[in-house]
């Protein structure tokens, strides 16, 4: 195995598939928890799962851990402690690694953040979505504006200043003024990072069956533009399609995805991507999706939901789909480092998109122009 391979960063994603209530817009692998969570059995399953993956990543070190969901803040600090201790015992973790936990206001009791921190969590991602009670209700959230403020304040009180707030815009009936009020409220809480997503209507959701009335495109564009300017002015420049933060607070775990590095995925429905440049391929692997099936089979060959080799012909677009989400793009050399393909395979198309003004002309970088970022799908289409 070439040393080269060992230099591709490796992250770990852990999925927790339960929520108090399913939100009408959500198509993530999340299920309503009826009664208490089988957390002991689930942590056992996660550890068995990671153990089964170990031979695929011998000698490689984990740079970040992200515990997402679902609502992982429904787990007790004890369960998280057992999970993180179990991971440390099985995998070499980088000493100063980022360990993020997604936490929902309304699904985290007061005081729990300090226990989470003691268990090893050093970053939170708090799913606020909005600070407007009417919008929170339309989104089917279990929390109100007060609980959103309380969660961010509790994070500071626990010494977890490194937290992200998830906000959405383009909400049912939302005006520009209301969206900007959400931004002002978020800024007042001094988060380290902000994720700002346009609400999309996904198949297999209740919003898809009975769609709410959303603001028109002009309003949504105006919101995005004003919010972006407001955030930049307050020290949170946009660095990815939906992510805003000072440079030293960027999310390392997500950067790993956008830079097309590798990751292990454990938990119900979790996906992994692993490179084997020696064999000349990139491998995708996913786990059984339904929590009950996963609980019964994790760690056995039957716990693997599926597995596929990525075709060489798909690699350029897969790489660019991630890398071109970054406002600054990536060094051009990263293409070969991550895909094993020479940059020349892109050349005719690169020239064309540069001429169309979708990509910056700097030969040393692959970087979208402002227009390229705005019409990212058009840009990617050119490489398909
Ligand atoms: C993995 S999800 C859920 C995290 C957490 N359970 C929560 O709801 O707070 C991460 C984020 O994706 C965003 N999201 C989920 N569904 C979305 C949709 N249909 N459109 C836009 N953003 C969405 C939300 O901001 C959410 O906080
Ligand atoms: S709480 Fe988060 S993961 Fe759960 S249903 Fe709502 S948006 Fe989806």
């Amino acid at each position: 195995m070439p040393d080269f391979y060992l230099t591709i960063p490796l992250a770990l994603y852990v999925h927790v598939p339960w929520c108090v209530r399913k939100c009408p817009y959500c198509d993530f692998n999340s299920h309503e928890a009826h009664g208490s969570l089988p957390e002991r059995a689930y942590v056992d399953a996660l550890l068995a799962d990671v153990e089964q993956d170990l031979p695929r990543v011998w000698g490689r070190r984990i740079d970040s851990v992200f515990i997402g969901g679902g609502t992982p803040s429904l787990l007790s600090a004890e369960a998280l402690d057992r999970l993180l201790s179990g991971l440390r015992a099985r995998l070499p973790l980088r000493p100063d690694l980022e360990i993020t936990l997604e936490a929902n206001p309304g699904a985290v009791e007061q005081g729990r953040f300090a226990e989470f921190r003691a268990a090893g969590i050093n970053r939170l991602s708090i799913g606020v979505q909005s600070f407007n009670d009417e919008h929170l209700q339309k989104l089917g959230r279990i929390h109100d504006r007060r609980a959103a403020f309380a969660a961010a304040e509790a994070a500071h009180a626990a010494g977890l200043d490194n937290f992200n707030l998830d906000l959405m815009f383009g909400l049912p009936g939302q005006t520009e003024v209301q969206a900007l009020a959400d931004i002002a409220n978020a800024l007042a809480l001094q988060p380290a990072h902000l994720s700002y997503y346009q609400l999309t209507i996904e198949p297999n959701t209740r919003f898809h069956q009975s769609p709410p009335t959303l603001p028109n495109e002009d309003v949504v564009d105006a919101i995005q533009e004003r919010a972006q300017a407001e955030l930049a002015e307050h020290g949170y420049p946009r660095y990815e399609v939906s992510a805003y933060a000072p440079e030293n607070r960027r999310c390392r775990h997500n950067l790993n995805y956008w830079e097309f590095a590798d990751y292990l995925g454990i938990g119900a429905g979790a996906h992994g991507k692993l490179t084997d440049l020696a064999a000349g391929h990139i491998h995708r692997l996913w786990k059984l999706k339904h929590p009950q099936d996963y609980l019964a089979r994790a760690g056995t060959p039957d716990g693997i939901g599926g597995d596929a080799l990525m075709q060489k012909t798909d690699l350029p677009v897969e790489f660019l789909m991630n890398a071109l989400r970054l406002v600054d793009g990536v060094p051009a050399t990263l293409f070969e480092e991550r895909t094993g393909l020479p940059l020349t395979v892109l050349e005719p198309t690169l020239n064309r998109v540069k001429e169309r003004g979708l990509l910056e002309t700097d030969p040393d970088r692959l970087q979208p122009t402002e227009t390229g970022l705005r019409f990212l799908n058009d840009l990617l289409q050119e490489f398909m």
Side-chain angles (χ1 to χ4, degrees):
M1 190 183 299
D3 287 351
F4 191 32
Y5 171 62
L6 294 172
T7 65
I8 298 184
L10 178 66
L12 172 68
Y13 175 73
V14 183
H15 192 73
V16 179
W18 292 284
C19 292
V20 174
R21 193 161 78 201
K22 183 80 182 175
C23 302
Y25 56 86
C26 174
D27 77 336
F28 286 89
N29 185 27
S30 62
H31 305 260
E32 286 190 8
H34 303 288
S36 58
L37 298 187
E39 62 172 24
R40 205 174 167 82
Y42 197 68
V43 171
D44 288 342
L46 290 170
L47 295 176
D49 188 354
V50 84
E51 231 159 72
Q52 181 172 243
D53 278 348
L54 284 181
R56 305 175 194 274
V57 292
W58 279 141
R60 299 180 66 184
R61 198 182 60 164
I62 301 288
D63 286 329
S64 63
V65 176
F66 193 102
I67 309 173
T71 306
S73 58
L74 290 172
L75 293 179
S76 65
E78 196 191 339
L80 285 170
D81 188 42
R82 207 159 69 80
L83 169 64
L84 292 173
S85 309
L87 293 175
R88 276 185 211 105
R90 287 165 179 81
L91 283 164
L93 307 183
R94 172 184 161 141
D96 60 340
L97 87 169
E98 174 189 278
I99 308 182
T100 305
L101 177 85
E102 274 186 348
N104 288 30
V108 63
E109 292 144 34
Q110 208 58 30
R112 284 269 288 288
F113 284 163
E115 292 172 24
F116 290 166
R117 186 176 170 212
I121 302 297
N122 55 28
R123 185 173 183 274
L124 293 173
S125 179
I126 306 175
V128 164
Q129 320 308 347
S130 172
F131 293 94
N132 179 308
D133 277 337
E134 200 186 315
H135 289 142
L136 287 170
Q137 213 178 3
K138 283 186 184 157
L139 292 173
R141 300 294 294 187
I142 59 164
H143 71 274
D144 59 10
R145 159 189 176 84
R146 267 194 19 212
F149 284 120
E153 279 153 14
H156 281 300
L160 281 167
D161 294 322
N162 190 14
F163 66 85
N164 164 63
L165 297 179
D166 274 347
L167 282 183
M168 294 194 293
F169 67 101
L171 306 180
Q174 190 180 42
T175 64
E176 194 179 324
V177 171
Q178 288 172 326
L180 290 172
D182 275 349
I183 293 288
N185 280 314
L187 287 171
L189 291 168
Q190 297 185 291
H193 188 289
L194 259 157
S195 299
Y196 197 49
Y197 303 108
Q198 179 180 348
L199 175 67
T200 54
I201 305 296
E202 304 292 338
N204 301 317
T205 61
R206 268 182 286 142
F207 272 3
H208 195 258
Q209 283 161 7
S210 48
T213 309
L214 301 181
N216 68 38
E217 208 180 308
D218 289 346
V219 174
V220 171
D221 286 350
I223 291 176
Q224 162 109 46
E225 199 174 310
R226 292 278 307 275
Q228 192 178 321
E230 197 65 20
L231 288 169
E233 195 175 309
H234 287 83
Y236 298 80
R238 185 190 201 196
Y239 71 97
E240 184 267 348
V241 172
S242 310
Y244 299 77
E247 195 166 347
N248 61 348
R249 295 295 210 168
R250 293 178 179 186
C251 176
R252 283 197 222 151
H253 187 81
N254 287 341
L255 280 170
N256 187 78
Y257 296 133
W258 298 322
E259 290 170 357
F260 209 56
D262 283 356
Y263 47 94
L264 283 173
I266 60 170
H271 283 240
K273 162 189 174 276
L274 294 169
T275 307
D276 184 346
L277 285 179
H281 61 228
I282 298 179
H283 193 79
R284 290 205 187 271
L285 170 78
W286 54 97
K287 308 296 167 60
L288 287 183
K289 195 165 178 193
H290 200 277
Q292 294 311 325
D293 297 339
Y294 178 82
L295 274 167
R297 301 195 187 92
T300 74
D302 290 344
I304 307 289
D307 151 5
L309 289 187
M310 285 178 63
Q311 299 303 314
K312 278 209 166 73
T313 44
D314 294 338
L315 284 177
V317 107
E318 293 268 353
F319 174 89
L320 294 170
M321 251 166 61
N322 288 286
L324 296 182
R325 294 182 63 91
L326 290 166
V327 173
D328 293 337
V330 294
T333 48
L334 198 72
F335 179 76
E336 187 166 348
E337 286 172 30
R338 296 287 193 264
T339 64
L341 301 171
L343 191 63
T344 46
V345 301
L346 293 182
E347 238 142 47
T349 320
L350 284 180
N351 294 336
R352 198 163 62 238
V353 291
K354 283 178 184 176
E355 270 163 32
R356 283 186 61 196
L358 299 173
L359 207 72
E360 297 289 354
T361 52
D362 182 349
D364 296 331
R365 291 198 77 75
L366 295 168
Q367 180 182 6
T369 58
E370 229 181 286
T371 318
L373 199 61
R374 179 140 184 245
F375 301 103
L376 193 52
N377 286 339
D378 287 354
L379 171 52
L380 293 171
Q381 200 68 43
E382 293 274 5
F383 291 93
M384 286 188 182

